[in-house]
């Protein structure tokens, strides 16, 4: 595994830019925004539910794309905007920093992965922390009901965020990723975790090993054992479901009413279960579960103390 020493960067002052993609008269519901963090212009999409201007205290889901993806791709492929419209919450889709190569691939610095963001020590924890503060200040967000999910490299960053800023995140739901922080994970509070993976994933292998980019990825179950320990759960998980499509297990008796749950599908691959195939040549998504529905059902049970 690649190891880099984490360094604090200069303090940031958020500068906000906003443009509207669709609106109801003067009231926008879908926005493209940017803030400046550590001298970098960071961009994100934001979708507001239809009842936004008539109420307050909305839940916020932050959805993180994988390596080579974007906020726009995340919005298109993972179904969060449709779920937000149905359930009435706000969803944000941040963009990772582009590499300087010809393809301009976006990545996140999850600690021991990935690509340009890791190699250049981009402070994505500070970016997401600043983004949360900004959205809580400017939008009708309930600060006790902020959740983070992510695919692949985005899943890895969601783990790192739970390690480093647990006071701002009520729960996380990594999909097809693992815990790959370079520093020990010692959050100040127990954090509920829902992990989703395919047993057939070869990009970030569920059982660990060399995957995409030549990175070594620790087994997903090792990450879950870390969180079971952090959350003070019973050592052995109980089986919730075990059928021909997937298995689901839960670590219970955790501190402060938290829990750790793992869904392992027996089909699909490195893809978002229940979503579309993201591009030609990509792994077919699992049809065993709809990850977005499962994650939202998990999230809405949890609130920060």
């Amino acid at each position: 595994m690649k190891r880099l020493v984490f360094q604090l960067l200069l303090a940031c002052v958020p500068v906000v830019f906003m443009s509207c993609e669709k609106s109801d008269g003067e009231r926008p519901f879908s926005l493209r925004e940017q803030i400046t963090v550590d001298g970098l212009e960071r961009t994100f999409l934001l979708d507001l539910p239809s009842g936004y201007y008539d109420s307050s205290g909305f839940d916020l889901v932050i959805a993180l794309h994988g390596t080579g993806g974007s906020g726009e791709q995340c919005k298109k492929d993972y179904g969060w905007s449709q779920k937000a419209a149905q359930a009435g919450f706000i969803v944000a889709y941040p963009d990772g920093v582009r590499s300087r190569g010809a393809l301009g691939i976006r990545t996140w610095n999850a600690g021991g992965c990935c690509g340009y963001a890791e190699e250049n020590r981009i402070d994505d924890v500070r970016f997401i922390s600043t983004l949360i503060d900004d959205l809580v200040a400017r939008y009708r967000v309930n600060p006790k009901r902020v959740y983070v999910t992510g695919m692949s490299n985005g899943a890895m960053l969601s783990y790192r965020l739970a390690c480093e800023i647990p006071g701002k995140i009520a729960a996380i739901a990594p999909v097809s990723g693992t815990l790959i922080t370079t520093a020990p994970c010692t959050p100040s509070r127990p954090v509920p975790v829902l992990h989703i993976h395919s047993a057939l994933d070869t990009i970030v292998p569920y059982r660990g090993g060399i995957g995409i980019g030549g990175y070594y990825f620790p087994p997903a179950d090792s990450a879950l054992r870390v969180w079971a320990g952090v959350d003070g759960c019973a050592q052995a998980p109980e089986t919730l479901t075990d059928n021909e499509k997937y298995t689901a297990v839960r670590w219970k008796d955790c501190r402060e009413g938290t829990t750790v749950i793992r869904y392992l599908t027996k089909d699909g691959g490195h893809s978002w279960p229940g979503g579309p195939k993201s591009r030609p040549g990509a792994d077919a998504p699992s049809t065993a579960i709809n990850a977005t529905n499962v994650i939202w059902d998990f999230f809405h049970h949890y609130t920060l103390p």
Side-chain angles (χ1 to χ4, degrees):
M1 186 194 309
K2 297 181 179 180
R3 298 288 181 180
L4 291 176
V5 177
F6 179 78
Q7 295 182 343
L8 292 175
L9 302 179
L10 296 175
C12 60
V13 177
V15 177
V16 179
F17 169 83
M18 178 178 72
S19 65
C20 304
E21 295 183 345
K22 63 179 180 179
S23 65
D24 176 10
E26 296 299 317
R27 304 186 302 179
F29 290 95
S30 186
L31 307 104
R32 183 181 301 272
E33 299 194 9
Q34 65 190 40
I35 57 177
T36 301
V37 179
D38 294 331
L40 297 175
E41 191 176 274
R42 305 303 302 264
T43 55
F44 61 97
L45 303 177
L46 189 71
D47 278 359
L48 308 175
S50 60
Y52 173 78
Y53 294 97
D54 301 317
S55 190
S56 61
F58 290 93
D59 297 3
L60 169 65
V61 172
I62 298 174
L64 303 171
H65 64 77
T67 293
S70 66
E72 184 175 352
Q73 170 270 317
C74 187
K75 176 175 176 175
K76 177 176 69 73
D77 290 340
Y78 302 152
W80 278 108
S81 290
Q82 295 88 333
K83 191 66 184 178
Q86 175 191 2
F89 59 87
I90 299 170
V91 57
Y93 303 96
D95 290 313
V97 171
R98 285 187 182 275
S99 73
R100 295 176 182 174
L103 297 178
I105 291 175
R106 297 184 186 275
T107 55
W108 302 107
N109 179 5
C113 184
C114 292
Y116 180 88
E118 176 223 1
E119 293 160 6
N120 289 273
R121 301 174 183 174
I122 302 299
D123 197 338
D124 284 317
V125 173
R126 179 172 291 178
F127 168 42
I128 301 300
S129 180
T130 302
L131 176 62
I132 292 170
D133 292 344
D134 177 66
L135 295 179
V136 167
R138 294 193 299 118
Y139 291 91
R140 301 175 182 188
V141 173
N142 182 344
K144 293 184 178 295
R145 297 186 64 85
V146 177
Y147 310 97
V148 179
T149 184
M151 171 69 191
S152 188
N153 184 204
M156 299 171 200
L157 180 58
S158 73
Y159 270 126
R160 183 173 184 182
L161 293 168
C163 292
E164 298 189 27
I165 55 168
K168 295 185 178 183
I169 297 170
I172 64 167
V175 177
S176 299
T178 191
L179 178 65
I180 195 167
T181 55
T182 53
C185 181
T186 56
S188 58
R189 57 170 287 268
V191 180
V193 176
L194 170 66
H195 184 105
I196 299 175
H197 222 114
S198 168
L200 305 180
D201 192 336
T202 59
I203 303 298
V204 181
Y206 168 75
R207 293 177 177 81
I210 303 299
I212 189 171
Y215 288 93
Y216 171 78
F217 297 107
D221 272 355
S222 68
L224 296 172
R225 285 193 294 271
V226 167
W227 281 104
V230 165
D231 291 355
C233 308
Q235 288 188 344
E238 64 174 352
T239 299
L240 301 176
T241 304
D242 187 2
N243 59 34
E244 70 279 3
K245 294 184 177 181
Y246 70 95
T247 60
V249 301
R250 175 179 62 188
W251 284 260
K252 61 178 185 175
D253 300 328
C254 310
R255 291 189 294 129
E256 299 180 23
T258 60
T259 189
V260 177
I261 297 177
R262 184 211 69 200
Y263 280 78
L264 183 64
T265 67
K266 299 175 183 179
D267 65 342
H270 195 71
S271 52
W272 189 270
K277 191 172 181 178
S278 59
R279 66 185 186 284
D283 290 345
S286 169
T287 60
I289 60 172
N290 181 297
T292 306
N293 289 341
V294 169
I295 291 168
W296 176 246
D297 288 345
F298 178 78
F299 278 166
H300 77 80
H301 291 294
Y302 295 102
T303 303
L304 281 170

